[in-house]
Amino acid sequence: QVQLVESGGGSVQAGGSLRLSCVPSGIFVSRFCMGWFRQASGQKREGVAAIDSRGETIVRDSVEDRITVSKDNDKNALYLWMINVKPEDAGMFYCAADLAGELCGDLHSDGVDYWGKGTLVNISS
């Protein structure tokens, strides 16, 4: 079975930084487009960033200056680094995997093959 397990969420001070992790089982990050989605209460799930099998990244324009997506093929792990976090960054963050790679071209959820259950990020003062 394929599972994507996120971690690293919690309460983060505004202006601070955080790192989210996604550790899949049953697939390899080296062979998938891997990405992160954020969903705030009452909002649609939106793509934040993704990294393809070659290591090329795509990041949402609104957070491009503050977010880095990366992966470690040896550890089979996906990461999301964020600095200078803002209240609007809060929400449930989901890890996603797309074998066909469409996610890494448009940050859209259609075509995503696997989803994690999410890790919650709260921004505090």
Side-chain angles (χ1 to χ4, degrees):
Q1 294 182 349
V2 174
Q3 291 185 314
L4 280 60
V5 180
E6 304 98 333
S7 63
S11 182
V12 182
Q13 182 176 302
S17 62
L18 80 161
R19 184 189 73 171
L20 305 182
S21 300
C22 171
V23 180
S25 60
I27 64 168
F28 297 103
V29 300
S30 62
R31 300 172 184 173
F32 278 72
C33 167
M34 303 293 300
W36 291 97
F37 287 77
R38 170 189 167 274
Q39 186 170 26
S41 180
Q43 301 293 123
K44 287 186 174 181
R45 192 175 299 186
E46 62 181 18
V48 178
I51 182 167
D52 67 17
S53 60
R54 299 172 300 177
E56 298 293 323
T57 63
I58 179 172
V59 182
R60 194 174 188 88
D61 289 343
S62 60
V63 297
E64 187 174 15
D65 293 340
R66 303 184 294 109
I67 279 183
T68 300
V69 61
S70 63
K71 64 176 180 178
D72 187 325
N73 291 337
D74 291 334
K75 294 181 178 179
N76 198 33
L78 172 74
Y79 305 102
L80 185 71
W81 299 83
M82 185 180 297
I83 62 171
N84 191 27
V85 297
K86 301 178 179 180
E88 57 262 38
D89 296 325
M92 188 72 73
F93 282 76
Y94 298 91
C95 178
D98 182 352
L99 181 60
E102 294 179 1
L103 172 63
C104 286
D106 57 17
L107 287 177
H108 291 175
S109 61
D110 55 308
V112 170
D113 298 299
Y114 306 106
W115 292 97
K117 292 184 178 180
T119 184
L120 185 64
V121 173
N122 181 60
I123 309 300
S124 63
S125 299

